Structure formats: C-alpha cells, structure tokens
Amino acid sequence: MTGYGWRRSHGPSRSFGTTATVVAVWSAVGATLLSGCGGLPGVSGGSREPITVMTWAPEGSAATNAPGMPAMAKAFARWVNADGGIDGHELRVLTCNEHNTATGASDCARRAVKEKAAAVVGSYSQYDSAFIPPLEVAGIPYLGGYGISDREFTSALSYPVNGGQAALIAGSGQELAAACDQVSLVRPDTLAGDVLPTLLDAGLTAARHRPAADIRTAEDAGDYTDEAKRALEQAGADPAGSGGGRKGAGQKGGKGCVTAVLGDRTETFFDSFRRVADDPGKVRVASVIGSINQPLLDRTGGADGPFEGAYVTGWYPESDDPRWEPMKRVIREHAFGDDAIDAADSGVQTTWIAYTALKKLVESLHQDSVRALDLVRALNKGVTVDTGGLTPVLRWRFEDMLAAADFPRIVNRQVTFQVVRDGRLVALKKGFTDVSSTMEASAANG
C-alpha cells in the first residue's frame, strides 16, 4: 500500500471549522484506503487476514521432477483470489524447489516455519526425515502430499489425500496376479523403494501367486540394460540373442510381466527394455501412475510407443474423466499458459485435490484469522472434504485411519485400474477398488 504523507502548510491559518472539515474528509479517505489495503475483489471490509501456505517439489534434478505442482498451487491461488479469496482470506502461496535432496527438503521446511505458513499443501518429497520433523515442531500440517514417503502416513500432522505409493503397489499386485504367471519388479534402491516388494507381494500372494522378483537399481541411472535383462529372465523370458526371448516364455506356457516403478526414469528403463527384449510387444509391462502417465505416453509415440497395452494403477479417475473439468477450467483461465502444468499429470492432480481440501477446511472455520493450529484442530475433529468424486469423501479422524502400523494415516485406500489403449490411459475397470485388506496383510507380513 502506498503511503500518504502530510505536508506542513505555510499559508494563512484556517478557521477551526474549516480545519475540522478537512481533517474529517481526509480521515474518511484514509480509512477507506486502509480498509482496502491488501483487500480482494468481492470481500467487504477486507477485515480477514491472509492465509500463507507453501508448496514444494523438485525441479531441475537428475531424477524425479514435479514442476507442475507449485505451478498448479499458484494457479489455484489466482483463481480463488480473483473471486474474493477463501471465505474472505487472501491465499498467499509460497513455492520452494526441493531439488530432490534431503538438504533441499529441509531448507523448504525451515522456510515454511520462518514464513509462519499455516500449512504445507500438495507437495512432493521422498525425504520425510528431513521435512517432517521441522513441521512437527512448528505444528504445521502437511496436507495432501504426493504420497512418496513413509512418514506421510505415520506423522500425526500429515493429512494425505491418497494412499501413496503403498496403495498403488498393493493394487498393482492384485491386478498382476490375474494377468501374469511370473512378475519382475524393478524399483529404486532407496528407503522409499524398500517397502515396494512387500506391498506388491501382498497383492500377489492374496491371489495365491508367487512373490515377484525384486530387482533394485539406482533411481537416476542413464541406462538400465542389465536390469532389463534380469527382469526378463526373472519373468520367465530370455533377453534377445540368449535363447528365445518372450517366444521362449510363450513356449513354456507362461505369461511373464515386468513392472517398473522408477519415477521419471521409468521411461529410461523401458528404452533399455525394448533394446534387449526379443519381442517386447509380447511382454506385459506395468507400472503405477507417476511412473507412467499421459504426458509420457504422448512423448514416446502414443499407440506406437513401448507402453501400449500396459497396466497402470492410479489414485484417481483417468484424465479424460469429466470430473476433472473444474481443474482444467482453472488451468485454462489462471495458469497463463504455464507449460509446467499438465492436467494429466498425477502431481498436478494431487495438488488440485490438496488445495480443494484446504479451501473446504478454511471455509468450515469462518474465522478472521486462520493459523496452523486452527487447521490441525479442524482436521482432527473430522472436517469432511468432498472432492467431486475424484476421491472418496475424505476425513482424518482416528476411526478413519487404516489398521496398519506402517501407514496408519491412510484414509483413502481406493485405487483405479487403467490400461494404455491407442496411446491413451483409459479405465480398465469402472470405479475405485479398495486395497485396505491387501495393505493390512502387507503390514502384518512386513
């Protein structure tokens, strides 16, 4: 707000009545200016305080990047602020590059604390031990993280909107059990990756299927030829030039499947896979949303690419579902052509749902000032969030939690099964599938 200074008069003195009138007029003008300072269109009086939140994600790193998440957060803020804010509060979004490092995650969390953020919303980081403790000490809720790290599902101040990688992998196991005789899992050799085999096997063994072959690898490698060969061999097929390839597996009567969960490097793995597979078209490939998504399919050849026919487990409806139209409209009208935002990207979708939850939460409070403590209390008391069918109705009471010690904070245990047909991710089965029992079995066995 621009300041208005008083200039000393050197002219003739005015009468008391005239001076009083001038003072009264300028007092009224000043009051109007002050009341409008920082105000929003459609908000009478501008008396409610702004709400500051943060969204972080890695950008420009050698492994997984999610620039669409902070970009979606800023578009959401422009949208709600253009219509008077959230229940009269201007939404201020801080963004932070997490760099896909523990140091970066810690830096972002400490900045959120310094800026007195009321919440961290719709963010991505696998380094939970770096960002969760600072938020816990400051009492800042982590609302709708991407779901890549373990402590998102154990911290009392984390409020996830999806079932994370755990639900995806458990669901993938259920799906592959019916489609494959042998399964190879290629996954990162990281703490976040270590839980994946147990979850996948829980889905497989529930259908009396043998466990998957666990193939660990670097998450940022530039070539996965050795891992691709081992994946084929463990799935019952030989690599090209070593005795029959997938044709050999077919002669054995088996249906081998290879699933890779490597984030942005999933594309790199399947490039290596195509080079070593004798007949890659006959090998059923699979993955989870985030490792395979529509933007990846588009840039790798669509129907002629390596993922045609692949099984993909997701959290939400496919990107062409009409339930995404409100988000797409906000992107069209408020993202200003930001090419970091793709409506088919799971990170963008998660951020939209997380901010939808924040909006519902703030609207439920009807307070002039909203602090982190207010949000935590409302969440714990059972505020419900309807996401328009993109998820089940969300609520984070104790009784809504999952009976699994490894990830009790999961309140949304629903996944969707999709398949790549003609280069598009489409629904393989209608609606959501509940993977609660599989995840609880994984926790019991792990």
Side-chain angles (χ1 to χ4, degrees), residues 160-200:
V161 298
N162 60 46
Q165 288 273 55
L168 294 180
I169 299 298
S172 184
Q174 289 184 200
E175 186 64 20
L176 296 180
C180 318
D181 285 346
Q182 299 180 71
V183 179
S184 293
L185 168 66
V186 183
R187 52 88 170 182
D189 188 10
T190 63
L191 290 175
D194 287 344
V195 72
L196 303 185
T198 304
L199 288 160
L200 185 69

Side-chain angles (χ1 to χ4, degrees), residues 112-155:
V113 173
K114 181 179 178 181
E115 299 282 355
K116 295 182 172 56
V120 174
V121 186
S123 296
Y124 184 112
S125 178
Q126 63 176 305
Y127 298 100
D128 48 7
S129 61
F131 72 81
I132 289 286
L135 298 185
E136 288 179 334
V137 170
I140 297 174
Y142 190 66
L143 178 60
Y146 185 81
I148 192 69
S149 66
D150 293 346
R151 290 174 73 169
E152 290 179 58
F153 304 106
T154 58
S155 171

